[in-house]
Amino acid sequence: MHELSITQSILDIALNKAKEANAGKISAVSVTLGELSGIAADCVQFYFNFLTRDTIAAGASLTFEKVPTKLRCRKCDKDFAPEAIAWICPRCHEQSIEIVAGRECYINSIEVE
Ligand SMILES: [Zn+2]
């Protein structure tokens, strides 16, 4: 159900933007999705097809730009990608880590006609 509400907000934003642009049809929507967002792209795709049926976004293509997880050590500032379940800095072995990228979920582009 998480994905349903997210898809609904994606669609609401896209419809508002299309309205602002006086567009009659939305042909494509691209969404940036972080690996850590916990959002399943195929679920969003499914709900998107369902929710757009009676809108100007019906038949629009939905694409996802996946963002890999990027972490940063709070102690030595090293950026790294997590390799295992444990998030430990590969340089100084500090366990105090912040998430720099990977939680994204937003529309990065909308194509209208
Ligand atoms: Zn470190």
Side-chain angles (χ1 to χ4, degrees):
M1 286 310 276
H2 186 53
E3 276 83 1
L4 178 57
S5 58
I6 284 163
T7 312
Q8 184 68 63
S9 359
I10 289 171
L11 180 60
D12 288 347
I13 293 165
L15 291 173
N16 278 331
K17 291 285 172 196
K19 205 171 171 185
E20 277 172 30
N22 288 320
K25 184 172 164 50
I26 295 173
S27 49
V29 177
S30 173
V31 174
T32 297
L33 207 56
E35 220 173 50
L36 293 175
S37 62
I39 298 161
D42 51 351
C43 285
V44 175
Q45 179 72 66
F46 174 82
Y47 288 128
F48 186 82
N49 293 343
F50 174 74
L51 294 170
T52 52
R53 277 182 315 182
D54 297 318
T55 72
I56 60 164
S61 76
L62 180 65
T63 51
F64 297 95
E65 195 169 303
K66 303 275 180 70
V67 180
T69 305
K70 193 166 116 187
L71 306 175
R72 178 173 296 154
C73 175
R74 287 187 203 272
K75 196 171 165 191
C76 72
D77 271 349
K78 181 174 175 54
D79 286 347
F80 62 100
E83 281 178 15
I85 298 164
W87 287 1
I88 298 170
C89 174
R91 187 155 72 191
C92 71
H93 305 292
E94 172 65 40
Q95 288 186 50
S96 176
I97 301 301
E98 64 180 299
I99 297 169
V100 183
R103 279 172 155 168
E104 298 80 355
C105 178
Y106 56 84
I107 294 178
N108 67 48
S109 73
I110 300 166
E111 276 174 41
V112 294
E113 282 167 20

